[in-house]
Every structure is written in structure tokens, then in C-alpha cells.
Amino acid sequence: RTLLLPGVLVRVPLDDIDDVEAGTVHPRRWGGTGCVVDGSVTSVLRAEGGAVLVPRTDGSQVIVSVDRPDEAVETFAALRAGGSAS
């Protein structure tokens, strides 16, 4: 388990994303608040609450706290439908 420094940017290219799921997270399950890397899981969590779970094509996963997870899922779907990869 590795705790990354504050302000670290976790970037996942659109082509590396398998799917995006809205959910609720409990930071203790994912190594606590902050940016934590534990094996193939990277979590960037502020507190318990809304989040997106991002399974990557390489089998790893990113979990990120967001205020409106459903909107994040909709944005991903629109980007994927538009073929906008970066």
C-alpha cells in the first residue's frame, strides 16, 4: 500500500477505460482517504459518499470521490459514443 502526496494527478486515457460505474464508497475499504495505491487499485477519496469506479482494460481499477457520480457516468458515455479519445 502506498499513500501518494497531495496534489498528485491520476490520469486515465479514455481508451484505457473499460467502463465507469457510479457508487458509494467507504474509504476504510479502499485504504483510507487521500490517494492510495494498493496493488492494482488506485483510490482518490475525500470521504465516504459518491464515487466512480473505473475498471481499466489492463484489469486495474481507479476509484475516485465525486460530487455527482451519475453525471460522471453520463459524461463518460457521451465521450465514448463520440469517439473522443485522448
Side-chain angles (χ1 to χ4, degrees), residues 7 10 22 24 31-33 35-36 43 51 53 55 63-64 66 72-73 80 84 86:
V10 176
T24 301
T33 57
C35 187
V36 177
S43 60
L53 292 87
I63 298 99
V64 181
V66 295
V73 170
R80 177 62 52 97
S84 244
S86 57

Side-chain angles (χ1 to χ4, degrees), residues 4-10 35 44:
L4 299 177
L5 298 173
V8 172
L9 176 65
V10 176
C35 187
V44 183

Side-chain angles (χ1 to χ4, degrees), residues 14-32:
L14 186 61
D15 288 340
D16 292 353
I17 298 174
D18 233 4
D19 196 12
V20 176
E21 306 166 26
T24 301
V25 294
H26 304 279
R28 280 181 279 163
R29 178 170 181 235
W30 301 103

Side-chain angles (χ1 to χ4, degrees), residues 44-81:
V44 183
L45 305 174
R46 292 186 315 259
E48 184 173 321
V52 290
L53 292 87
V54 182
R56 297 181 67 175
T57 56
D58 67 1
S60 64
Q61 189 173 31
V62 177
I63 298 99
V64 181
S65 291
V66 295
D67 292 330
R68 294 179 297 279
D70 292 334
E71 288 181 20
V73 170
E74 290 172 11
T75 300
F76 168 74
L79 287 170
R80 177 62 52 97

